[in-house]
Amino acid sequence: MNPKSQNNGYSNGTFVVKIEHCCNETWQGEVVWAEENRKEKFRSTLELIRLMDEAMQISKGQQEEFQHFNIG
């Protein structure tokens, strides 16, 4: 299998996730985007996934209007 076809054009990303609380059947905590050394808090598992997806969009060069992991 071709590794590039598996990641849909995204570059690799490394994230450190710290779960601080589990409340209302979801996680709250902090995620660190290791390559950029940027931290963001998240209030739900869905928000965590959105943060990681946003970081991958930024690393791919699609720096449109994002809510977190801002560049600059």
Side-chain angles (χ1 to χ4, degrees), residues 15-61:
F15 300 93
V16 178
V17 178
K18 180 180 178 185
I19 307 299
E20 296 173 348
H21 303 284
C22 184
C23 184
N24 297 325
E25 304 298 322
T26 192
W27 298 336
Q28 295 87 42
E30 184 176 72
V31 59
V32 177
W33 179 13
E35 286 82 5
E36 298 291 324
N37 196 29
R38 295 179 185 272
K39 296 180 186 179
E40 289 292 336
K41 297 249 183 216
F42 60 90
R43 297 166 293 197
S44 70
T45 309
L46 180 59
E47 186 175 22
L48 169 63
I49 293 169
R50 286 181 177 164
L51 285 166
M52 292 189 300
D53 182 62
E54 184 176 296
M56 293 294 82
Q57 293 289 328
I58 290 170
S59 70
K60 190 177 170 183

Side-chain angles (χ1 to χ4, degrees), residues 53-72:
D53 182 62
E54 184 176 296
M56 293 294 82
Q57 293 289 328
I58 290 170
S59 70
K60 190 177 170 183
Q62 298 177 351
Q63 299 177 12
E64 295 161 3
E65 292 187 27
F66 292 108
Q67 296 176 2
H68 301 89
F69 288 126
N70 290 321
I71 301 291

